Amino acid sequence: MNAQPSALPQHLSSLFARADELAAHLDAPLSAITDVPRPEHPRPQLHRRTWLTLNGTWQFETDQGDSGRDRGLVERELAGEITVPFAPETAASGIGDRDFHEAVWYRRTVTVPADWEGLRPMLRFEAVDHDATVWANGVEVARHRGGFTPFAADLSAVPGVGPGADVEIVVRARDPHDVPQARGKQSGRFRPTHALYHRTTGIWQSVWLEGVPVDEIRSLRVLPSLAGRSFAIDVPLSRTTAGTRIEIIASVPGGEDVARAEVRADLDLAPHLELAIPEDALRVWGPGAPELYALTVRLLGADGAVLDEVRSYAGLRSTSLRGNEFRINGEKVFQRLVLDQGYWEESFMTSPTDHAMTADIRLALEAGFNGARLHQKVFEQRMLFWSDLHGYLTWGEFGDWGVEGFGPMGDNQQPTASFIGQWVEAVQRDLNHPSIIGWCPLNETHQVMHDRITQLDVVTQAMYDATKLADPTRPVLDASGYSHRVRGADVYDSHSYEQDPERFRTEQAGLAEGEPFANRRDLAPDQMPFADGSFSLPYAGQPYFVSEYGGIWWNEQEAREAEEAERAGNNAAVSWGYGQRIRSEDELYERFEGLTRVLLEDPGMFAYCYTQMTDVFQEKNGIVDFERGRKLDLARLRAVQEKAAAYEQDA
């Protein structure tokens, strides 16, 4: 029987109420059209009043032979319909076809609002998997590679496009399944199995239209300085116009203005401002403390008229490294993380509603976690928005799986150059979220080290360097588990699914001597020259954590029906978890406490990450089930995690 929810502790009730209050002040108003799925603004940290959701019904057609352009699909009506932003593999899309889709097509007529005089209509896609081409009135307006990051098309130069005009939008998404590609947890086989799930093809995040002026604030780059009580803010512009200025105002959400900065905007393509916060208005963002400032950014003309205005928000917080310590706001905060795959049964990688993301954060907090590894995909921006509003720690990651086995052992990982470009897009998109306290571009890149430089080595180093160049303020973990290929990377880690607490303690004991557990593979002497089975460069004294552990395999119904459970246990496409399936819920709590105490009691361990947040299809190791039902007593999990961490002592 599923555990019943227990009474929330007062601090969580207050936190949840505070998050709702902040959302009321910081979120953008809904689009004029609200009778569609996911009607909220997709980009909470940069919004204008002039926007229109394009989610809802689109024409749709599968193009299994990828011959659609030859067959006239750019010009003609399509055969079916789909509900955007849900992928055709999902029930939420109205299609639910889980087969491979080499290419898919979308078509929709969009009317530019009549009151957008003087504005350029920008067609924005939050995520399309995997290679997208976009036409407007038969004219190609955009191409983009990568299934996790946004792109846009400027429609202003398309003949016939203007205020009040109809525009025929056509999108083709190609999604080949037999080439190296960043797929995340999408299975390369027809059926999901083990820790791989169903595929996602085509549009899977929101599509929207935005009216932007010719003099446009293109983005914001906001870097906090807790020591300086200030924000360093760059404002990239579409062009420099004589006499223009940038003005930024910080305010308490829903309250008074507390700081202001202004600078000329006609000298630099990305004007830079220092926004100093007075001492009496200092609000520090931290775990469980979502203290934020609302930002209003205006581009002003020579006559003082507002040429462009965007709304945003920011959090003042710091991350720092001191020896083997990872500090947040100067303090030793133990990170009790949960692995969040971000899947739902009816909608796969797309959250079915905005509320569903909020609910997952609150379930994790209720279970005693203070953050998450947002795993093997680039989550929707609204997930980070709600993380910011809950003081919920996150690690920004990339869905890099999908390049294993395209070369011989020792060169079996083949990430492409596009990985670097896609990752830079993700970092640029999410840079300003205070909830992100670390970056991790790669995960479990199983490839042993030897004396040749490989594609994995080059791409890992490039992704690490690109991250540090884009964001020098956060620590970077070059790869979570297995192949650490960057010498002197900020953070070092391992993954361990050892299920016996005492063996787990023995395995992890080397950290005290500067020789922590590291993932490796046993090799026969003649299996590979100049390789000893190590996946990584040696540990160099960095902050260290076990970034995956647990994964306790538990399903109550299967455990009750023992014979059926044994059959299911032999079929990883039906039921799967790490190690031997336990036989009772009490055994799960005992194992969870035993494994977790090993990490809490290690003074050299700054964090852990438990696998995982929810069951996902056949993977049965979540703290809640796939429908977010109360599979476990979250209060019992919280009680284990509330025990003091040795790392935080004598801070």
Side-chain angles (χ1 to χ4, degrees):
M1 181 179 298
N2 287 345
Q4 296 300 309
S6 56
L8 278 179
Q10 181 58 45
H11 75 280
L12 288 181
S13 296
S14 299
L15 175 60
F16 298 168
R18 176 61 176 155
D20 291 337
E21 178 188 359
L22 286 168
H25 296 302
L26 297 175
D27 207 357
L30 291 177
S31 173
I33 300 174
T34 57
D35 59 342
V36 297
R38 302 300 309 276
E40 62 282 344
H41 196 287
R43 193 174 63 181
Q45 279 202 325
L46 191 74
H47 59 81
R48 296 177 175 85
R49 289 189 294 271
T50 49
W51 75 284
L52 181 70
T53 183
L54 299 182
N55 292 342
T57 302
W58 288 57
Q59 291 182 26
F60 178 81
E61 191 167 324
T62 297
D63 180 12
Q64 205 58 40
D66 192 12
S67 58
R69 189 166 188 183
D70 292 337
R71 293 185 290 108
L73 266 61
V74 175
E75 296 80 24
R76 71 162 173 83
E77 301 291 300
L78 303 182
E81 291 185 342
I82 190 170
T83 300
V84 168
F86 304 114
E89 292 89 347
T90 70
S93 72
I95 296 176
D97 181 357
R98 296 180 175 183
D99 205 349
F100 293 98
H101 299 279
E102 289 296 306
V104 293
W105 291 74
Y106 299 79
R107 176 184 293 270
R108 174 168 174 170
T109 300
V110 176
T111 302
V112 179
D115 60 353
W116 283 11
E117 195 66 45
L119 300 177
R120 293 177 296 134
M122 299 291 293
L123 178 62
R124 299 194 183 277
F125 297 86
E126 288 300 297
V128 181
D129 197 339
H130 183 264
D131 287 356
T133 307
V134 183
W135 293 266
N137 291 346
V139 177
E140 184 181 315
V141 291
R143 294 185 184 187
H144 183 261
R145 167 162 288 181
F148 296 108
T149 47
F151 64 97
D154 185 347
L155 305 183
S156 60
V158 176
V161 173
D166 289 342
V167 189
E168 192 75 12
I169 304 297
V170 175
V171 181
R172 178 188 61 199
R174 287 172 162 146
D175 194 20
H177 66 277
D178 56 356
V179 297
Q181 182 189 104
R183 306 177 193 279
K185 287 299 189 83
Q186 300 177 65
S187 177
R189 303 177 182 176
F190 174 70
R191 287 186 174 82
T193 184
H194 294 81
L196 295 173
Y197 316 135
H198 291 290
R199 288 163 297 284
T200 291
T201 299
I203 298 171
W204 68 276
Q205 289 188 30
S206 289
V207 185
W208 49 298
L209 197 67
E210 184 179 37
V212 302
V214 175
D215 288 284
E216 175 197 357
I217 297 170
R218 286 194 161 168
S219 63
L220 297 176
R221 175 184 166 91
V222 182
L223 298 180
S225 170
L226 184 57
R229 298 200 308 271
S230 63
F231 294 96
I233 303 177
D234 295 325
V235 187
L237 303 174
S238 59
R239 66 181 189 179
T240 50
T241 300
T244 54
R245 301 184 70 80
I246 287 287
E247 174 188 67
I248 300 181
I249 299 171
S251 62
V252 176
E256 72 279 2
D257 297 345
V258 297
R260 182 181 177 277
E262 188 173 323
V263 72
R264 289 179 63 177
D266 56 0
L267 290 176
D268 303 304
L269 193 54
H272 175 82
L273 302 90
E274 293 289 332
L275 184 66
I277 304 297
E279 188 170 1
D280 61 357
L282 189 65
R283 306 159 66 92
V284 179
W285 188 98
E291 299 293 343
L292 296 166
Y293 297 95
L295 298 180
T296 301
V297 185
R298 297 188 181 104
L299 177 61
L300 305 175
D303 60 355
V306 177
L307 303 179
D308 194 13
E309 177 177 307
V310 296
R311 302 285 179 145
S312 188
Y313 66 87
L316 193 59
R317 66 104 186 89
S318 73
T319 59
S320 57
L321 305 177
R322 187 180 301 177
N324 67 344
E325 299 170 1
F326 183 137
R327 293 188 171 227
I328 300 173
N329 298 332
E331 304 295 329
K332 293 170 68 175
V333 177
F334 192 83
Q335 299 174 35
R336 297 162 170 85
L337 308 175
V338 65
L339 199 72
D340 191 346
Q341 309 284 3
Y343 271 73
W344 288 263
E345 187 165 25
E346 71 272 30
S347 55
F348 296 8
M349 288 201 298
T350 313
S351 180
T353 64
D354 192 51
H355 172 74
M357 290 179 282
T358 314
D360 277 6
I361 293 170
R362 294 182 177 185
L363 285 168
L365 288 166
E366 188 180 344
F369 298 101
N370 60 10
R373 283 183 61 203
L374 301 180
H375 192 49
Q376 275 302 298
K377 72 177 215 188
V378 179
F379 278 56
E380 298 174 57
Q381 294 187 62
R382 294 203 57 95
M383 176 65 176
L384 297 172
F385 170 67
W386 285 109
S387 298
D388 295 339
L389 268 56
H390 284 83
Y392 188 66
L393 306 175
T394 63
W395 284 72
E397 298 192 18
F398 185 55
D400 68 293
W401 282 10
V403 295
E404 166 74 29
F406 288 93
M409 187 173 71
D411 197 17
N412 50 285
Q413 297 276 343
Q414 294 291 316
T416 64
S418 73
F419 273 48
I420 305 165
Q422 293 173 53
W423 175 243
V424 168
E425 289 178 338
V427 174
Q428 288 177 326
R429 192 200 79 172
D430 296 338
L431 178 72
N432 299 336
H433 288 282
S435 60
I436 295 181
I437 44 83
W439 298 109
C440 180
L442 299 168
N443 175 77
E444 287 194 353
T445 42
H446 299 78
Q447 183 170 295
V448 296
M449 298 208 50
H450 51 90
D451 72 337
R452 290 187 180 275
I453 297 173
T454 68
Q455 181 78 355
L456 176 64
D457 298 326
V458 172
V459 172
T460 301
Q461 185 72 56
M463 293 178 82
Y464 183 90
D465 291 343
T467 311
K468 299 299 287 187
L469 182 63
D471 178 15
T473 71
R474 292 177 175 92
V476 181
L477 174 61
D478 57 346
S480 184
Y482 294 84
S483 299
H484 296 299
R485 300 303 175 94
V486 174
R487 199 173 298 277
D490 292 333
V491 179
Y492 204 94
D493 78 336
S494 68
H495 295 174
S496 175
Y497 287 107
E498 171 58 57
Q499 295 295 301
D500 180 84
E502 289 311 309
R503 286 200 292 266
F504 188 50
R505 187 180 297 277
T506 300
E507 174 190 89
Q508 297 297 324
L511 179 58
E513 307 301 324
E515 296 182 0
F517 175 75
N519 299 110
R520 57 179 297 111
R521 175 178 178 177
D522 292 330
L523 292 176
D526 60 347
Q527 201 164 8
M528 187 170 189
F530 310 111
D532 64 359
S534 172
F535 288 104
S536 299
L537 292 165
Y539 175 66
Q542 306 100 313
Y544 177 92
F545 74 128
V546 177
S547 61
E548 290 184 29
Y549 81 104
I552 303 171
W553 184 7
W554 168 246
N555 178 279
E556 185 178 19
Q557 180 179 351
E558 292 172 358
R560 280 203 312 265
E561 302 170 9
E563 184 178 348
E564 178 184 339
E566 289 302 323
R567 289 199 303 270
N570 292 326
N571 185 348
V574 175
S575 181
W576 181 83
Y578 292 93
Q580 178 64 41
R581 185 204 311 270
I582 58 174
R583 295 298 182 179
S584 73
E585 190 172 326
D586 284 339
E587 186 181 347
L588 184 147
Y589 298 126
E590 180 181 354
R591 185 179 297 181
F592 177 82
E593 180 170 13
L595 296 171
T596 301
R597 285 179 66 90
V598 170
L599 305 175
L600 285 173
E601 293 171 0
D602 190 332
M605 189 83 57
F606 78 85
Y608 58 62
C609 182
Y610 180 78
T611 302
Q612 63 186 8
M613 180 64 205
T614 74
D615 292 347
V616 184
F617 299 112
Q618 73 286 344
E619 191 171 357
K620 305 291 178 67
N621 52 19
I623 64 168
V624 296
D625 65 27
F626 205 8
E627 293 76 31
R628 277 58 175 179
R630 298 292 176 129
K631 174 180 170 182
L632 300 174
D633 184 343
L634 301 187
R636 290 185 68 172
L637 301 182
R638 185 173 68 249
V640 172
Q641 300 198 80
E642 285 178 341
K643 293 173 181 173
Y647 172 77
E648 295 176 315
Q649 305 306 306
D650 302 320

